[in-house]
Amino acid sequence: MTEIQHERLLIIDFGSQVTQLIARRLRELDVYCEIHPFQKVTDAFLDDMAPRAIILSGGPASVIDDGSPRPPNKVFKMGVPVLGICYGQQVMMHMLGGRVERGDGTAEFGRAYVTPTETRIDLLNGWFLEQREQVWMSHGDHVAAIAPGFDIYGTSPGAPFAVTADLERRFYAVQFHPEVHHTPNGKTFFQNFIQDAGFTGDWTMAAYREEAVRHIREQVGDKQVICGLSGGVDSSVAAVLIHEAIGDQLTCVFVDHGLLRQGEADEVVSMFRDHYNIPLIHADEADLFLGELDGVSDPETKRKIIGRLFIDVFQKYANSIEGAEFLAQGTLYPDVIESVSFSGGPSVTIKSHHNVGGLPEKMGLKLIEPLRELFKDEVRALGMELGLPASFIGRHPFPGPGLAIRCPGEITREKLDILRKADAVYIDQIRKHGLYDEIWQAFVAILPVRTVGVMGDSRTYDFACALRAVNSVDGMTADYYPFSHEFLGETATRIINEVRGINRVTYDITSKPPGTIEWE
Ligand code: XMP
């Protein structure tokens, strides 16, 4: 359980694909909330967390089936407002004495419109300005009879009980999903709910910073902490926050594997050492990494080699820091949320991701993860709060294995040099056209083919490269970015003119799925 002292809201997860969005909407309203799978929420858990309100998420099960998931009865006895969404609504009705029936062709999927009944409730303040309100539905089963104490406050053609409430007990149940963007007025809905629950909106980054600093001090005492810096936003924000708490008891180890972008190592070193005065070991291990990668072209082998060496190198430098007892990591909330799995089976490994997992046990270190309650955009906000430059915070994600996975086939220093230059020109173009912040991630991959070209009166036989640019929310799915032909033409010309070694430029228009964002 968290150490967070703010007013807390509990989201009980029944496995909906969009449960995380409930948390997003609430955090946007400065409310601290946590998602926990229903299996974990026991009476003792509820006592311990003492939430000020509870939300029951949607989910794929049917309450009519034996063994379908339930929250503990105690949820309804704590005297706090409870909101049930979709499956959450049905489970609420079922447990409180209503009746749910199986879908018989009355199911609703997608956009629907809710109209109000005569009596208006505060939960729907700001709704129905246009008579009816667009919402997003996705349900097979439906409520056939509402539980005693409930009344109807909104209906839709497929869901006569679209909005119901027991105002006395402050129980609310909706069939639609207020958390998704297709319910455009969903934020107002949540605003009304948290107002009813008495939240003051005390979850701000300034407050979080203070609290985190205090907590880190308590946790660490007079011991030493080491932090692996990758140059990415998460580990950097974690390092600056920890440094604010414990000063020189923190040492950062920046493992430079020789697979970074142009100017990146210098930028990280100067920011941490010169600007923040954080003790930093710059482990320049390019020879080691590139040596072991020599002749390797299989993507998974590359990833495994880099992951293993990273741990070895980190351990070597960390061992040189006397009295280190803690290892800091930039773990984020989405990595911590335990997702509910009904199928049970593990998901297929598409790529082995590079991280320093396993290090703490191996080295006998305790973990400190000051960002584990935060979403990505909150980490950015915290970074701004801590004074990190906006240009640094807004940087596109960069993978741990670095340029190795943007260089399909064998990696050579020559190819890496060409790739770095082409990438720098491409990013410069994107910035010049004011597109950098509009794109989620953009980079160049150098292809393992040479092609024939003509420059001036001479024949060339150089590498081809691919430009990649995608938009995404979380990297799980992505669409290629629709650059104009002018932009692409201009960029290709610049790369070929300015980067010796490339004579052909292509644009990758694959979305994810079926492609992945990186080339390997
Ligand atoms: P893919 O290529 O799997 O990438 O579609 C999704 C997102 O994850 C990043 N990525 C990684 N990040 N370690 C990381 O820290 C890795 O091993 C890794 N592999 C891919 C990728 O850049 C994209 O943002």
Side-chain angles (χ1 to χ4, degrees), residues 303 350-355 396-402 405-406 440-441 443 468 470 474-478 512 515-520:
R303 282 175 173 273
I350 307 286
K351 299 175 182 184
S352 25
H353 265 225
H354 155 103
N355 57 37
H396 292 169
F398 186 66
I405 57 175
R406 297 177 179 177
W440 198 74
Q441 192 173 15
F443 57 86
R468 185 87 167 121
V470 294
D474 48 14
M476 302 298 286
T477 58
K512 174 182 179 177
T516 54
I517 296 176
E518 302 289 347
W519 272 54
E520 290 192 333

Side-chain angles (χ1 to χ4, degrees), residues 13 111 436 468 478-479:
D13 184 21
R111 191 172 287 124
Y436 191 84
R468 185 87 167 121
D479 283 324

Side-chain angles (χ1 to χ4, degrees), residues 169 174 180 204 213 277 365:
R169 289 188 286 177
V174 294
V180 303
T204 64
V213 162
N277 266 322
L365 294 171

